[in-house]
Amino acid sequence: MAEAYVSVWITTLYTVLLGILMVAMQIPLGRLRSQTGISMFHGDNPELAVAMRRFGNFTEHVPFLLILMALVELQGGSPTLLHICGVVLLGSRIAHPIGLKFDSLQSQLRLVGAAGTLLVAVTLLIAAALSLR
């Protein structure tokens, strides 16, 4: 009996792009740890604290959203919707760390990044729920 091949190429595309972004945030974090000699936490170093939160926020949100995206794609979700979600998520995950500052909660880019990520989450959750029918 032949096995069916199921493709999630749209999710794979955005996983690769977001993975590149993750590595781009991971490198300066590692460099800062090496320069400061701080192995764990941030040692009251504001620059290291920001780098940690940039990377941490990314890893808190993106994996779950990529799983949701894959589930929607596997359930036959709209390719257009998936691409829109992928582009918005990628843009949001670029904007958020740029706008994340140690000394300021108020930042347009941080707001855009957080709002865009939330919008993608709600959209994908609705699409996944609707696919349960």
Side-chain angles (χ1 to χ4, degrees), residues 31-89:
R31 187 172 41 244
L32 274 170
R33 287 208 180 280
S34 177
Q35 290 170 352
T36 62
I38 300 170
S39 173
M40 295 294 292
F41 306 109
H42 55 74
D44 293 326
N45 181 307
E47 192 177 359
L48 184 54
V50 169
M52 287 175 61
R53 282 313 310 142
R54 286 175 174 159
F55 184 74
N57 189 277
F58 183 95
T59 60
E60 290 163 2
H61 294 278
V62 172
F64 178 71
L65 294 178
L66 288 171
I67 291 168
L68 266 178
M69 183 181 277
L71 292 172
V72 170
E73 188 169 4
L74 285 168
Q75 293 296 332
S78 162
T80 301
L81 176 69
L82 290 164
H83 279 297
I84 290 169
C85 286
V87 167
V88 171
L89 182 59

Short mmCIF file of all heavy atoms in Angstrom, two decimals, residues 31-89:
data_model
loop_
_atom_site.label_atom_id
_atom_site.label_comp_id
_atom_site.label_asym_id
_atom_site.label_seq_id
_atom_site.Cartn_x
_atom_site.Cartn_y
_atom_site.Cartn_z
N ARG A 31 27.64 36.18 21.60
CA ARG A 31 28.80 37.08 21.62
C ARG A 31 28.82 37.90 22.91
O ARG A 31 29.87 38.06 23.54
CB ARG A 31 28.78 37.98 20.39
CG ARG A 31 30.03 38.83 20.25
CD ARG A 31 30.14 39.61 18.94
NE ARG A 31 28.90 40.20 18.49
CZ ARG A 31 28.27 39.87 17.36
NH1 ARG A 31 28.77 38.94 16.57
NH2 ARG A 31 27.15 40.48 17.01
N LEU A 32 27.66 38.41 23.32
CA LEU A 32 27.58 39.17 24.57
C LEU A 32 27.93 38.32 25.78
O LEU A 32 28.62 38.79 26.69
CB LEU A 32 26.17 39.74 24.75
CG LEU A 32 25.88 41.07 24.09
CD1 LEU A 32 24.39 41.40 24.14
CD2 LEU A 32 26.69 42.18 24.75
N ARG A 33 27.46 37.08 25.78
CA ARG A 33 27.80 36.19 26.90
C ARG A 33 29.32 35.98 26.95
O ARG A 33 29.93 36.00 28.02
CB ARG A 33 27.10 34.85 26.76
CG ARG A 33 25.62 34.94 27.06
CD ARG A 33 25.09 33.63 27.58
NE ARG A 33 23.68 33.73 27.88
CZ ARG A 33 23.16 34.26 28.97
NH1 ARG A 33 23.96 34.76 29.88
NH2 ARG A 33 21.87 34.29 29.18
N SER A 34 29.92 35.81 25.80
CA SER A 34 31.37 35.61 25.73
C SER A 34 32.12 36.86 26.19
O SER A 34 33.08 36.77 26.96
CB SER A 34 31.76 35.24 24.31
OG SER A 34 33.15 35.10 24.20
N GLN A 35 31.68 38.02 25.74
CA GLN A 35 32.35 39.28 26.10
C GLN A 35 32.22 39.62 27.57
O GLN A 35 33.15 40.15 28.18
CB GLN A 35 31.80 40.44 25.26
CG GLN A 35 32.17 40.39 23.81
CD GLN A 35 31.41 41.41 22.97
OE1 GLN A 35 30.49 42.07 23.43
NE2 GLN A 35 31.80 41.52 21.71
N THR A 36 31.05 39.34 28.14
CA THR A 36 30.82 39.70 29.54
C THR A 36 31.23 38.61 30.52
O THR A 36 31.39 38.88 31.70
CB THR A 36 29.32 40.01 29.78
OG1 THR A 36 28.54 38.84 29.50
CG2 THR A 36 28.86 41.18 28.92
N GLY A 37 31.37 37.39 30.04
CA GLY A 37 31.68 36.28 30.91
C GLY A 37 30.49 35.84 31.77
O GLY A 37 30.65 35.10 32.73
N ILE A 38 29.30 36.30 31.40
CA ILE A 38 28.09 35.96 32.14
C ILE A 38 27.46 34.74 31.49
O ILE A 38 26.94 34.81 30.38
CB ILE A 38 27.10 37.14 32.16
CG1 ILE A 38 27.75 38.36 32.82
CG2 ILE A 38 25.81 36.75 32.88
CD1 ILE A 38 26.95 39.65 32.67
N SER A 39 27.50 33.62 32.20
CA SER A 39 27.01 32.36 31.66
C SER A 39 25.50 32.20 31.82
O SER A 39 24.83 31.69 30.93
CB SER A 39 27.73 31.21 32.36
OG SER A 39 27.18 29.98 31.97
N MET A 40 24.98 32.59 32.98
CA MET A 40 23.56 32.41 33.27
C MET A 40 22.91 33.75 33.55
O MET A 40 23.53 34.65 34.13
CB MET A 40 23.38 31.50 34.48
CG MET A 40 23.87 30.07 34.27
SD MET A 40 22.92 29.16 33.05
CE MET A 40 21.37 29.00 33.86
N PHE A 41 21.67 33.87 33.18
CA PHE A 41 20.87 35.08 33.38
C PHE A 41 21.58 36.27 32.73
O PHE A 41 22.23 36.10 31.71
CB PHE A 41 20.55 35.30 34.86
CG PHE A 41 19.89 34.11 35.49
CD1 PHE A 41 20.57 33.32 36.40
CD2 PHE A 41 18.61 33.74 35.12
CE1 PHE A 41 19.97 32.20 36.96
CE2 PHE A 41 18.00 32.62 35.67
CZ PHE A 41 18.68 31.85 36.60
N HIS A 42 21.43 37.47 33.28
CA HIS A 42 22.00 38.64 32.62
C HIS A 42 22.97 39.42 33.48
O HIS A 42 23.57 40.39 33.02
CB HIS A 42 20.90 39.58 32.10
CG HIS A 42 19.93 40.01 33.15
ND1 HIS A 42 20.26 40.93 34.11
CD2 HIS A 42 18.66 39.63 33.39
CE1 HIS A 42 19.21 41.13 34.90
NE2 HIS A 42 18.24 40.33 34.50
N GLY A 43 23.14 39.04 34.75
CA GLY A 43 24.14 39.69 35.59
C GLY A 43 23.99 41.19 35.70
O GLY A 43 24.98 41.90 35.78
N ASP A 44 22.77 41.69 35.64
CA ASP A 44 22.48 43.13 35.69
C ASP A 44 23.10 43.91 34.52
O ASP A 44 23.29 45.11 34.62
CB ASP A 44 22.92 43.74 37.03
CG ASP A 44 22.09 43.22 38.18
OD1 ASP A 44 20.88 42.96 37.97
OD2 ASP A 44 22.63 43.07 39.29
N ASN A 45 23.40 43.21 33.45
CA ASN A 45 23.90 43.87 32.24
C ASN A 45 22.71 44.18 31.35
O ASN A 45 22.07 43.25 30.82
CB ASN A 45 24.90 42.95 31.53
CG ASN A 45 25.48 43.56 30.28
OD1 ASN A 45 24.77 44.01 29.40
ND2 ASN A 45 26.81 43.56 30.21
N PRO A 46 22.37 45.47 31.17
CA PRO A 46 21.17 45.82 30.39
C PRO A 46 21.21 45.32 28.94
O PRO A 46 20.20 44.88 28.42
CB PRO A 46 21.14 47.35 30.42
CG PRO A 46 22.08 47.76 31.49
CD PRO A 46 23.04 46.64 31.70
N GLU A 47 22.36 45.37 28.33
CA GLU A 47 22.48 44.94 26.94
C GLU A 47 22.22 43.43 26.83
O GLU A 47 21.52 42.97 25.92
CB GLU A 47 23.88 45.28 26.40
CG GLU A 47 24.01 45.13 24.91
CD GLU A 47 25.39 45.54 24.40
OE1 GLU A 47 26.25 45.97 25.20
OE2 GLU A 47 25.61 45.41 23.19
N LEU A 48 22.75 42.67 27.77
CA LEU A 48 22.53 41.22 27.78
C LEU A 48 21.07 40.90 28.10
O LEU A 48 20.47 40.01 27.50
CB LEU A 48 23.47 40.54 28.77
CG LEU A 48 23.43 39.02 28.83
CD1 LEU A 48 23.65 38.39 27.46
CD2 LEU A 48 24.46 38.51 29.83
N ALA A 49 20.48 41.66 29.02
CA ALA A 49 19.07 41.45 29.37
C ALA A 49 18.17 41.65 28.15
O ALA A 49 17.24 40.88 27.91
CB ALA A 49 18.66 42.39 30.51
N VAL A 50 18.44 42.69 27.37
CA VAL A 50 17.64 42.96 26.17
C VAL A 50 17.84 41.85 25.15
O VAL A 50 16.87 41.35 24.56
CB VAL A 50 17.98 44.34 25.57
CG1 VAL A 50 17.35 44.52 24.20
CG2 VAL A 50 17.52 45.45 26.51
N ALA A 51 19.06 41.44 24.93
CA ALA A 51 19.34 40.36 23.97
C ALA A 51 18.63 39.06 24.38
O ALA A 51 18.08 38.35 23.54
CB ALA A 51 20.84 40.14 23.83
N MET A 52 18.64 38.80 25.68
CA MET A 52 17.96 37.60 26.18
C MET A 52 16.46 37.68 25.93
O MET A 52 15.83 36.70 25.53
CB MET A 52 18.22 37.43 27.68
CG MET A 52 19.61 36.97 28.02
SD MET A 52 19.89 36.94 29.82
CE MET A 52 18.65 35.75 30.32
N ARG A 53 15.85 38.83 26.20
CA ARG A 53 14.41 38.98 26.01
C ARG A 53 14.04 38.95 24.53
O ARG A 53 12.98 38.44 24.16
CB ARG A 53 13.89 40.26 26.66
CG ARG A 53 13.74 40.16 28.14
CD ARG A 53 13.02 38.88 28.62
NE ARG A 53 11.76 38.62 27.93
CZ ARG A 53 11.33 37.40 27.57
NH1 ARG A 53 12.02 36.32 27.85
NH2 ARG A 53 10.19 37.26 26.95
N ARG A 54 14.87 39.50 23.69
CA ARG A 54 14.61 39.45 22.25
C ARG A 54 14.53 38.00 21.79
O ARG A 54 13.60 37.60 21.11
CB ARG A 54 15.69 40.20 21.47
CG ARG A 54 15.58 41.69 21.58
CD ARG A 54 16.73 42.38 20.90
NE ARG A 54 16.50 43.83 20.93
CZ ARG A 54 17.46 44.73 20.79
NH1 ARG A 54 18.71 44.35 20.61
NH2 ARG A 54 17.15 46.01 20.83
N PHE A 55 15.53 37.23 22.19
CA PHE A 55 15.58 35.82 21.81
C PHE A 55 14.48 35.03 22.52
O PHE A 55 13.79 34.21 21.90
CB PHE A 55 16.96 35.25 22.14
CG PHE A 55 17.14 33.83 21.70
CD1 PHE A 55 17.31 33.53 20.35
CD2 PHE A 55 17.14 32.79 22.61
CE1 PHE A 55 17.47 32.21 19.93
CE2 PHE A 55 17.30 31.48 22.20
CZ PHE A 55 17.47 31.20 20.86
N GLY A 56 14.29 35.29 23.80
CA GLY A 56 13.29 34.58 24.58
C GLY A 56 11.88 34.82 24.07
O GLY A 56 11.08 33.88 23.94
N ASN A 57 11.56 36.06 23.76
CA ASN A 57 10.22 36.37 23.25
C ASN A 57 9.97 35.65 21.94
O ASN A 57 8.89 35.11 21.72
CB ASN A 57 10.06 37.88 23.09
CG ASN A 57 8.64 38.26 22.79
OD1 ASN A 57 8.23 38.20 21.63
ND2 ASN A 57 7.89 38.65 23.80
N PHE A 58 10.97 35.61 21.10
CA PHE A 58 10.86 34.90 19.83
C PHE A 58 10.56 33.42 20.07
O PHE A 58 9.62 32.87 19.49
CB PHE A 58 12.16 35.06 19.04
CG PHE A 58 12.15 34.42 17.69
CD1 PHE A 58 11.84 35.16 16.57
CD2 PHE A 58 12.45 33.08 17.53
CE1 PHE A 58 11.83 34.57 15.31
CE2 PHE A 58 12.44 32.48 16.28
CZ PHE A 58 12.12 33.23 15.17
N THR A 59 11.33 32.81 20.96
CA THR A 59 11.17 31.37 21.18
C THR A 59 9.91 31.04 21.97
O THR A 59 9.47 29.89 21.95
CB THR A 59 12.40 30.76 21.88
OG1 THR A 59 12.60 31.40 23.15
CG2 THR A 59 13.64 30.91 21.01
N GLU A 60 9.33 32.01 22.65
CA GLU A 60 8.07 31.80 23.36
C GLU A 60 6.87 31.77 22.41
O GLU A 60 5.87 31.13 22.71
CB GLU A 60 7.85 32.91 24.40
CG GLU A 60 8.79 32.84 25.57
CD GLU A 60 8.87 34.12 26.37
OE1 GLU A 60 8.15 35.10 26.07
OE2 GLU A 60 9.67 34.15 27.32
N HIS A 61 6.96 32.47 21.31
CA HIS A 61 5.81 32.62 20.43
C HIS A 61 5.90 31.84 19.12
O HIS A 61 4.93 31.21 18.69
CB HIS A 61 5.58 34.10 20.10
CG HIS A 61 5.19 34.92 21.27
ND1 HIS A 61 3.90 34.97 21.75
CD2 HIS A 61 5.92 35.70 22.10
CE1 HIS A 61 3.85 35.74 22.80
NE2 HIS A 61 5.06 36.20 23.04
N VAL A 62 7.03 31.89 18.48
CA VAL A 62 7.15 31.39 17.11
C VAL A 62 6.92 29.88 16.97
O VAL A 62 6.18 29.46 16.08
CB VAL A 62 8.48 31.84 16.48
CG1 VAL A 62 8.72 31.17 15.13
CG2 VAL A 62 8.49 33.36 16.32
N PRO A 63 7.50 29.03 17.82
CA PRO A 63 7.28 27.59 17.61
C PRO A 63 5.80 27.20 17.62
O PRO A 63 5.36 26.44 16.75
CB PRO A 63 8.05 26.94 18.76
CG PRO A 63 9.12 27.92 19.08
CD PRO A 63 8.48 29.27 18.89
N PHE A 64 5.05 27.70 18.58
CA PHE A 64 3.62 27.36 18.65
C PHE A 64 2.89 27.84 17.40
O PHE A 64 2.04 27.13 16.84
CB PHE A 64 2.99 27.96 19.91
CG PHE A 64 1.52 27.68 20.00
CD1 PHE A 64 1.05 26.40 20.27
CD2 PHE A 64 0.59 28.70 19.80
CE1 PHE A 64 -0.31 26.14 20.34
CE2 PHE A 64 -0.77 28.44 19.88
CZ PHE A 64 -1.23 27.16 20.14
N LEU A 65 3.21 29.04 16.94
CA LEU A 65 2.53 29.57 15.76
C LEU A 65 2.89 28.79 14.50
O LEU A 65 2.04 28.60 13.62
CB LEU A 65 2.82 31.07 15.59
CG LEU A 65 2.24 31.92 16.73
CD1 LEU A 65 2.60 33.39 16.53
CD2 LEU A 65 0.74 31.75 16.84
N LEU A 66 4.11 28.30 14.41
CA LEU A 66 4.48 27.46 13.27
C LEU A 66 3.77 26.11 13.32
O LEU A 66 3.37 25.57 12.28
CB LEU A 66 5.99 27.28 13.19
CG LEU A 66 6.77 28.52 12.75
CD1 LEU A 66 8.27 28.31 12.93
CD2 LEU A 66 6.43 28.90 11.32
N ILE A 67 3.57 25.58 14.52
CA ILE A 67 2.79 24.35 14.65
C ILE A 67 1.35 24.59 14.20
O ILE A 67 0.79 23.80 13.44
CB ILE A 67 2.83 23.81 16.10
CG1 ILE A 67 4.23 23.29 16.44
CG2 ILE A 67 1.77 22.73 16.33
CD1 ILE A 67 4.46 23.02 17.91
N LEU A 68 0.78 25.69 14.66
CA LEU A 68 -0.59 26.03 14.23
C LEU A 68 -0.66 26.19 12.72
O LEU A 68 -1.60 25.72 12.08
CB LEU A 68 -1.04 27.34 14.89
CG LEU A 68 -1.82 27.25 16.17
CD1 LEU A 68 -2.13 28.65 16.69
CD2 LEU A 68 -3.09 26.45 16.02
N MET A 69 0.33 26.88 12.16
CA MET A 69 0.35 27.08 10.71
C MET A 69 0.40 25.74 9.98
O MET A 69 -0.33 25.53 9.01
CB MET A 69 1.54 27.96 10.32
CG MET A 69 1.60 28.30 8.84
SD MET A 69 3.05 29.31 8.42
CE MET A 69 2.41 30.91 8.84
N ALA A 70 1.24 24.84 10.46
CA ALA A 70 1.34 23.51 9.83
C ALA A 70 0.03 22.75 9.94
O ALA A 70 -0.41 22.10 8.97
CB ALA A 70 2.48 22.72 10.46
N LEU A 71 -0.62 22.83 11.09
CA LEU A 71 -1.90 22.14 11.26
C LEU A 71 -2.96 22.69 10.30
O LEU A 71 -3.71 21.93 9.69
CB LEU A 71 -2.38 22.25 12.71
CG LEU A 71 -1.54 21.48 13.73
CD1 LEU A 71 -2.00 21.81 15.14
CD2 LEU A 71 -1.61 19.99 13.46
N VAL A 72 -3.01 24.01 10.18
CA VAL A 72 -3.96 24.62 9.24
C VAL A 72 -3.63 24.20 7.82
O VAL A 72 -4.52 23.86 7.03
CB VAL A 72 -3.97 26.16 9.40
CG1 VAL A 72 -4.77 26.83 8.29
CG2 VAL A 72 -4.53 26.56 10.77
N GLU A 73 -2.35 24.18 7.48
CA GLU A 73 -1.96 23.77 6.13
C GLU A 73 -2.31 22.31 5.88
O GLU A 73 -2.83 21.96 4.81
CB GLU A 73 -0.46 24.00 5.93
CG GLU A 73 -0.01 23.79 4.50
CD GLU A 73 1.41 24.26 4.23
OE1 GLU A 73 2.11 24.70 5.16
OE2 GLU A 73 1.81 24.17 3.05
N LEU A 74 -2.05 21.45 6.86
CA LEU A 74 -2.39 20.03 6.71
C LEU A 74 -3.89 19.80 6.57
O LEU A 74 -4.31 18.84 5.94
CB LEU A 74 -1.87 19.23 7.92
CG LEU A 74 -0.37 18.99 7.94
CD1 LEU A 74 0.05 18.45 9.30
CD2 LEU A 74 0.05 18.05 6.82
N GLN A 75 -4.69 20.68 7.15
CA GLN A 75 -6.15 20.57 7.07
C GLN A 75 -6.69 21.23 5.80
O GLN A 75 -7.91 21.35 5.64
CB GLN A 75 -6.80 21.20 8.31
CG GLN A 75 -6.52 20.44 9.58
CD GLN A 75 -7.12 19.04 9.56
OE1 GLN A 75 -8.10 18.75 8.90
NE2 GLN A 75 -6.48 18.13 10.29
N GLY A 76 -5.81 21.67 4.92
CA GLY A 76 -6.25 22.26 3.66
C GLY A 76 -6.58 23.73 3.74
O GLY A 76 -7.36 24.25 2.94
N GLY A 77 -5.97 24.43 4.70
CA GLY A 77 -6.21 25.87 4.84
C GLY A 77 -5.78 26.64 3.61
O GLY A 77 -4.94 26.19 2.82
N SER A 78 -6.35 27.80 3.46
CA SER A 78 -6.09 28.67 2.31
C SER A 78 -4.60 29.03 2.21
O SER A 78 -4.04 29.60 3.16
CB SER A 78 -6.91 29.95 2.44
OG SER A 78 -6.40 30.97 1.61
N PRO A 79 -3.97 28.75 1.07
CA PRO A 79 -2.57 29.16 0.89
C PRO A 79 -2.40 30.68 1.03
O PRO A 79 -1.40 31.13 1.59
CB PRO A 79 -2.23 28.69 -0.53
CG PRO A 79 -3.17 27.54 -0.77
CD PRO A 79 -4.43 27.92 -0.06
N THR A 80 -3.36 31.45 0.55
CA THR A 80 -3.27 32.90 0.67
C THR A 80 -3.26 33.31 2.14
O THR A 80 -2.43 34.13 2.56
CB THR A 80 -4.44 33.59 -0.07
OG1 THR A 80 -4.39 33.20 -1.44
CG2 THR A 80 -4.37 35.09 0.06
N LEU A 81 -4.16 32.73 2.93
CA LEU A 81 -4.20 33.02 4.36
C LEU A 81 -2.89 32.63 5.03
O LEU A 81 -2.35 33.39 5.84
CB LEU A 81 -5.37 32.30 5.03
CG LEU A 81 -5.45 32.46 6.55
CD1 LEU A 81 -5.84 33.89 6.91
CD2 LEU A 81 -6.42 31.47 7.15
N LEU A 82 -2.36 31.47 4.68
CA LEU A 82 -1.11 31.01 5.27
C LEU A 82 0.05 31.94 4.92
O LEU A 82 0.88 32.25 5.77
CB LEU A 82 -0.81 29.58 4.83
CG LEU A 82 -1.75 28.53 5.42
CD1 LEU A 82 -1.65 27.22 4.64
CD2 LEU A 82 -1.45 28.30 6.89
N HIS A 83 0.11 32.39 3.67
CA HIS A 83 1.17 33.33 3.28
C HIS A 83 1.02 34.67 3.98
O HIS A 83 2.02 35.26 4.42
CB HIS A 83 1.19 33.53 1.76
CG HIS A 83 1.89 32.43 1.02
ND1 HIS A 83 3.23 32.14 1.17
CD2 HIS A 83 1.41 31.53 0.12
CE1 HIS A 83 3.56 31.13 0.39
NE2 HIS A 83 2.47 30.74 -0.26
N ILE A 84 -0.20 35.15 4.10
CA ILE A 84 -0.41 36.41 4.82
C ILE A 84 0.05 36.26 6.27
O ILE A 84 0.78 37.12 6.79
CB ILE A 84 -1.89 36.86 4.74
CG1 ILE A 84 -2.23 37.29 3.32
CG2 ILE A 84 -2.18 37.98 5.74
CD1 ILE A 84 -3.71 37.51 3.06
N CYS A 85 -0.35 35.18 6.91
CA CYS A 85 0.08 34.93 8.29
C CYS A 85 1.60 34.82 8.37
O CYS A 85 2.23 35.37 9.29
CB CYS A 85 -0.58 33.67 8.85
SG CYS A 85 -2.32 33.89 9.25
N GLY A 86 2.21 34.13 7.43
CA GLY A 86 3.66 33.98 7.43
C GLY A 86 4.39 35.31 7.27
O GLY A 86 5.34 35.60 7.99
N VAL A 87 3.92 36.13 6.35
CA VAL A 87 4.55 37.44 6.11
C VAL A 87 4.36 38.35 7.32
O VAL A 87 5.30 39.02 7.76
CB VAL A 87 3.99 38.09 4.83
CG1 VAL A 87 4.39 39.55 4.72
CG2 VAL A 87 4.47 37.32 3.60
N VAL A 88 3.15 38.37 7.87
CA VAL A 88 2.89 39.21 9.05
C VAL A 88 3.72 38.73 10.24
O VAL A 88 4.30 39.53 10.97
CB VAL A 88 1.38 39.26 9.39
CG1 VAL A 88 1.13 39.94 10.73
CG2 VAL A 88 0.61 39.97 8.28
N LEU A 89 3.80 37.42 10.43
CA LEU A 89 4.60 36.89 11.53
C LEU A 89 6.07 37.24 11.35
O LEU A 89 6.73 37.68 12.30
CB LEU A 89 4.42 35.37 11.65
CG LEU A 89 5.16 34.69 12.79
CD1 LEU A 89 4.74 35.26 14.14
CD2 LEU A 89 4.93 33.18 12.76
#
